[in-house]
Amino acid sequence: IGVIASIPTSYLDEGSTDIDDLVGDELTDMYKKVCQTQRNVRREHRTMYSVAVQRRDLEKEAKRYVSWLKNLAKVDDDDIEFCDKLEKKLDAISVCHEEAKSARDKRRAEESQKRVDAEATAQREVEDEERRRILDDAKMEAEAKPGMMWNRELREYQYLHDPTEESWRD
């Protein structure tokens, strides 16, 4: 385009005689520049044509995705609507959440206290049973019959072996 602009306008007018004054090298150089410019214009024309064809192909291909994209947009709208509803529900729940949490913590504390009390009661019962057994053992020891002695391992009275009794030799 710069080459065409460099050609004086008087050369382009049909009635002008200025073109007749060009001779030899000037005319050949101008012809070469014009031919080169024509080649550049044709090349740019082909490039523009290929871009137009490619654009048309891409637009055809894009048409296939329009319905799919519309469906995705609907799904996105449904998801947004679902999220909005969920957010409203969470706002409503958050009002009573603190009360429910404190009630749950109180219930857990009461259950824990009951468990601790039950374990303490069970431990006391075991200790009381052990004391009763020790007292019973002491009472039994106090009630020994003549010739008997308390065996701590068996926790009972046993007759002592009489060394003078030799009935087993008979």
mmCIF file of all heavy atoms in Angstrom, residues 39-59:
data_model
loop_
_atom_site.group_PDB
_atom_site.id
_atom_site.type_symbol
_atom_site.label_atom_id
_atom_site.label_comp_id
_atom_site.label_asym_id
_atom_site.label_seq_id
_atom_site.Cartn_x
_atom_site.Cartn_y
_atom_site.Cartn_z
ATOM 1 N N ARG A 39 1.104 -8.912 -6.011
ATOM 2 C CA ARG A 39 1.343 -10.196 -5.332
ATOM 3 C C ARG A 39 1.002 -10.095 -3.842
ATOM 4 O O ARG A 39 0.384 -11.009 -3.267
ATOM 5 C CB ARG A 39 2.795 -10.631 -5.514
ATOM 6 C CG ARG A 39 3.090 -11.212 -6.877
ATOM 7 C CD ARG A 39 4.448 -11.913 -6.907
ATOM 8 N NE ARG A 39 5.561 -10.996 -6.686
ATOM 9 C CZ ARG A 39 6.204 -10.333 -7.639
ATOM 10 N NH1 ARG A 39 5.836 -10.466 -8.901
ATOM 11 N NH2 ARG A 39 7.209 -9.529 -7.354
ATOM 12 N N ASN A 40 1.420 -8.995 -3.228
ATOM 13 C CA ASN A 40 1.112 -8.794 -1.797
ATOM 14 C C ASN A 40 -0.387 -8.726 -1.574
ATOM 15 O O ASN A 40 -0.912 -9.314 -0.611
ATOM 16 C CB ASN A 40 1.773 -7.513 -1.272
ATOM 17 C CG ASN A 40 3.276 -7.660 -1.144
ATOM 18 O OD1 ASN A 40 3.808 -8.766 -1.158
ATOM 19 N ND2 ASN A 40 3.971 -6.525 -1.055
ATOM 20 N N VAL A 41 -1.086 -8.028 -2.469
ATOM 21 C CA VAL A 41 -2.540 -7.916 -2.337
ATOM 22 C C VAL A 41 -3.185 -9.290 -2.503
ATOM 23 O O VAL A 41 -4.096 -9.652 -1.751
ATOM 24 C CB VAL A 41 -3.098 -6.889 -3.355
ATOM 25 C CG1 VAL A 41 -4.617 -6.975 -3.455
ATOM 26 C CG2 VAL A 41 -2.657 -5.482 -2.985
ATOM 27 N N ARG A 42 -2.739 -10.070 -3.514
ATOM 28 C CA ARG A 42 -3.291 -11.431 -3.703
ATOM 29 C C ARG A 42 -3.013 -12.312 -2.487
ATOM 30 O O ARG A 42 -3.881 -13.076 -2.050
ATOM 31 C CB ARG A 42 -2.688 -12.062 -4.954
ATOM 32 C CG ARG A 42 -3.279 -11.529 -6.225
ATOM 33 C CD ARG A 42 -2.801 -12.355 -7.414
ATOM 34 N NE ARG A 42 -2.922 -11.556 -8.607
ATOM 35 C CZ ARG A 42 -1.904 -11.098 -9.333
ATOM 36 N NH1 ARG A 42 -0.668 -11.403 -9.008
ATOM 37 N NH2 ARG A 42 -2.115 -10.372 -10.392
ATOM 38 N N ARG A 43 -1.790 -12.227 -1.961
ATOM 39 C CA ARG A 43 -1.435 -13.034 -0.780
ATOM 40 C C ARG A 43 -2.309 -12.642 0.411
ATOM 41 O O ARG A 43 -2.850 -13.506 1.119
ATOM 42 C CB ARG A 43 0.051 -12.847 -0.450
ATOM 43 C CG ARG A 43 0.506 -13.785 0.670
ATOM 44 C CD ARG A 43 2.003 -13.732 0.932
ATOM 45 N NE ARG A 43 2.432 -12.370 1.272
ATOM 46 C CZ ARG A 43 3.328 -11.671 0.570
ATOM 47 N NH1 ARG A 43 3.892 -12.187 -0.498
ATOM 48 N NH2 ARG A 43 3.661 -10.449 0.942
ATOM 49 N N GLU A 44 -2.492 -11.358 0.617
ATOM 50 C CA GLU A 44 -3.344 -10.898 1.716
ATOM 51 C C GLU A 44 -4.792 -11.300 1.470
ATOM 52 O O GLU A 44 -5.517 -11.649 2.400
ATOM 53 C CB GLU A 44 -3.236 -9.372 1.889
ATOM 54 C CG GLU A 44 -1.893 -8.903 2.413
ATOM 55 C CD GLU A 44 -1.540 -9.495 3.762
ATOM 56 O OE1 GLU A 44 -2.450 -9.611 4.629
ATOM 57 O OE2 GLU A 44 -0.377 -9.864 3.964
ATOM 58 N N HIS A 45 -5.192 -11.299 0.174
ATOM 59 C CA HIS A 45 -6.553 -11.724 -0.159
ATOM 60 C C HIS A 45 -6.736 -13.203 0.207
ATOM 61 O O HIS A 45 -7.765 -13.592 0.783
ATOM 62 C CB HIS A 45 -6.819 -11.489 -1.653
ATOM 63 C CG HIS A 45 -8.192 -11.927 -2.072
ATOM 64 N ND1 HIS A 45 -8.447 -13.171 -2.604
ATOM 65 C CD2 HIS A 45 -9.395 -11.282 -2.013
ATOM 66 C CE1 HIS A 45 -9.732 -13.281 -2.851
ATOM 67 N NE2 HIS A 45 -10.328 -12.144 -2.511
ATOM 68 N N ARG A 46 -5.759 -14.043 -0.154
ATOM 69 C CA ARG A 46 -5.830 -15.468 0.202
ATOM 70 C C ARG A 46 -5.844 -15.657 1.718
ATOM 71 O O ARG A 46 -6.585 -16.498 2.231
ATOM 72 C CB ARG A 46 -4.658 -16.222 -0.425
ATOM 73 C CG ARG A 46 -4.814 -16.486 -1.901
ATOM 74 C CD ARG A 46 -3.774 -17.485 -2.405
ATOM 75 N NE ARG A 46 -2.404 -17.028 -2.193
ATOM 76 C CZ ARG A 46 -1.689 -16.344 -3.081
ATOM 77 N NH1 ARG A 46 -2.209 -16.034 -4.257
ATOM 78 N NH2 ARG A 46 -0.453 -15.972 -2.813
ATOM 79 N N THR A 47 -5.023 -14.884 2.420
ATOM 80 C CA THR A 47 -4.988 -14.981 3.886
ATOM 81 C C THR A 47 -6.339 -14.592 4.474
ATOM 82 O O THR A 47 -6.871 -15.298 5.351
ATOM 83 C CB THR A 47 -3.885 -14.064 4.465
ATOM 84 O OG1 THR A 47 -2.639 -14.406 3.875
ATOM 85 C CG2 THR A 47 -3.785 -14.198 5.962
ATOM 86 N N MET A 48 -6.907 -13.510 3.975
ATOM 87 C CA MET A 48 -8.213 -13.087 4.472
ATOM 88 C C MET A 48 -9.283 -14.131 4.150
ATOM 89 O O MET A 48 -10.169 -14.396 4.962
ATOM 90 C CB MET A 48 -8.589 -11.726 3.869
ATOM 91 C CG MET A 48 -7.786 -10.578 4.468
ATOM 92 S SD MET A 48 -8.055 -8.966 3.705
ATOM 93 C CE MET A 48 -9.774 -8.840 3.525
ATOM 94 N N TYR A 49 -9.184 -14.731 2.951
ATOM 95 C CA TYR A 49 -10.141 -15.767 2.563
ATOM 96 C C TYR A 49 -10.021 -16.979 3.487
ATOM 97 O O TYR A 49 -11.026 -17.515 3.957
ATOM 98 C CB TYR A 49 -9.926 -16.174 1.104
ATOM 99 C CG TYR A 49 -10.906 -17.220 0.643
ATOM 100 C CD1 TYR A 49 -12.208 -16.866 0.285
ATOM 101 C CD2 TYR A 49 -10.528 -18.562 0.558
ATOM 102 C CE1 TYR A 49 -13.105 -17.823 -0.130
ATOM 103 C CE2 TYR A 49 -11.423 -19.519 0.140
ATOM 104 C CZ TYR A 49 -12.714 -19.158 -0.201
ATOM 105 O OH TYR A 49 -13.616 -20.107 -0.608
ATOM 106 N N SER A 50 -8.781 -17.410 3.752
ATOM 107 C CA SER A 50 -8.606 -18.576 4.625
ATOM 108 C C SER A 50 -9.082 -18.267 6.055
ATOM 109 O O SER A 50 -9.670 -19.129 6.720
ATOM 110 C CB SER A 50 -7.155 -19.045 4.633
ATOM 111 O OG SER A 50 -6.319 -18.075 5.231
ATOM 112 N N VAL A 51 -8.875 -17.037 6.511
ATOM 113 C CA VAL A 51 -9.384 -16.646 7.834
ATOM 114 C C VAL A 51 -10.909 -16.679 7.839
ATOM 115 O O VAL A 51 -11.532 -17.158 8.792
ATOM 116 C CB VAL A 51 -8.843 -15.249 8.227
ATOM 117 C CG1 VAL A 51 -9.587 -14.691 9.425
ATOM 118 C CG2 VAL A 51 -7.356 -15.322 8.505
ATOM 119 N N ALA A 52 -11.524 -16.196 6.755
ATOM 120 C CA ALA A 52 -12.990 -16.199 6.662
ATOM 121 C C ALA A 52 -13.524 -17.626 6.650
ATOM 122 O O ALA A 52 -14.531 -17.935 7.306
ATOM 123 C CB ALA A 52 -13.444 -15.438 5.421
ATOM 124 N N VAL A 53 -12.858 -18.529 5.899
ATOM 125 C CA VAL A 53 -13.283 -19.935 5.855
ATOM 126 C C VAL A 53 -13.139 -20.567 7.228
ATOM 127 O O VAL A 53 -14.032 -21.293 7.696
ATOM 128 C CB VAL A 53 -12.467 -20.706 4.785
ATOM 129 C CG1 VAL A 53 -12.681 -22.205 4.915
ATOM 130 C CG2 VAL A 53 -12.850 -20.231 3.390
ATOM 131 N N GLN A 54 -12.026 -20.314 7.858
ATOM 132 C CA GLN A 54 -11.795 -20.874 9.199
ATOM 133 C C GLN A 54 -12.832 -20.343 10.187
ATOM 134 O O GLN A 54 -13.359 -21.106 10.995
ATOM 135 C CB GLN A 54 -10.385 -20.517 9.673
ATOM 136 C CG GLN A 54 -10.014 -21.150 10.992
ATOM 137 C CD GLN A 54 -8.600 -20.773 11.429
ATOM 138 O OE1 GLN A 54 -7.972 -19.911 10.837
ATOM 139 N NE2 GLN A 54 -8.128 -21.436 12.458
ATOM 140 N N ARG A 55 -13.151 -19.052 10.087
ATOM 141 C CA ARG A 55 -14.157 -18.476 10.970
ATOM 142 C C ARG A 55 -15.508 -19.124 10.732
ATOM 143 O O ARG A 55 -16.241 -19.434 11.675
ATOM 144 C CB ARG A 55 -14.237 -16.966 10.737
ATOM 145 C CG ARG A 55 -15.246 -16.303 11.626
ATOM 146 C CD ARG A 55 -15.259 -14.817 11.447
ATOM 147 N NE ARG A 55 -16.337 -14.255 12.240
ATOM 148 C CZ ARG A 55 -16.714 -13.010 12.175
ATOM 149 N NH1 ARG A 55 -16.095 -12.185 11.358
ATOM 150 N NH2 ARG A 55 -17.693 -12.569 12.906
ATOM 151 N N ARG A 56 -15.868 -19.330 9.448
ATOM 152 C CA ARG A 56 -17.140 -19.976 9.128
ATOM 153 C C ARG A 56 -17.189 -21.386 9.713
ATOM 154 O O ARG A 56 -18.189 -21.802 10.303
ATOM 155 C CB ARG A 56 -17.349 -20.020 7.618
ATOM 156 C CG ARG A 56 -18.759 -20.535 7.250
ATOM 157 C CD ARG A 56 -18.911 -20.816 5.800
ATOM 158 N NE ARG A 56 -18.139 -22.019 5.498
ATOM 159 C CZ ARG A 56 -17.606 -22.302 4.323
ATOM 160 N NH1 ARG A 56 -17.745 -21.480 3.330
ATOM 161 N NH2 ARG A 56 -16.930 -23.406 4.138
ATOM 162 N N ASP A 57 -16.085 -22.153 9.568
ATOM 163 C CA ASP A 57 -16.038 -23.512 10.121
ATOM 164 C C ASP A 57 -16.187 -23.498 11.638
ATOM 165 O O ASP A 57 -16.906 -24.331 12.217
ATOM 166 C CB ASP A 57 -14.729 -24.195 9.722
ATOM 167 C CG ASP A 57 -14.639 -24.483 8.229
ATOM 168 O OD1 ASP A 57 -15.706 -24.493 7.572
ATOM 169 O OD2 ASP A 57 -13.509 -24.702 7.736
ATOM 170 N N LEU A 58 -15.517 -22.553 12.275
ATOM 171 C CA LEU A 58 -15.614 -22.472 13.729
ATOM 172 C C LEU A 58 -17.020 -22.070 14.178
ATOM 173 O O LEU A 58 -17.517 -22.575 15.191
ATOM 174 C CB LEU A 58 -14.577 -21.473 14.273
ATOM 175 C CG LEU A 58 -13.110 -21.925 14.167
ATOM 176 C CD1 LEU A 58 -12.184 -20.796 14.579
ATOM 177 C CD2 LEU A 58 -12.852 -23.172 15.000
ATOM 178 N N GLU A 59 -17.653 -21.202 13.419
ATOM 179 C CA GLU A 59 -19.021 -20.814 13.760
ATOM 180 C C GLU A 59 -19.972 -21.993 13.592
ATOM 181 O O GLU A 59 -20.894 -22.178 14.387
ATOM 182 C CB GLU A 59 -19.472 -19.634 12.902
ATOM 183 C CG GLU A 59 -18.831 -18.316 13.308
ATOM 184 C CD GLU A 59 -19.172 -17.182 12.362
ATOM 185 O OE1 GLU A 59 -19.783 -17.429 11.301
ATOM 186 O OE2 GLU A 59 -18.808 -16.029 12.688
#
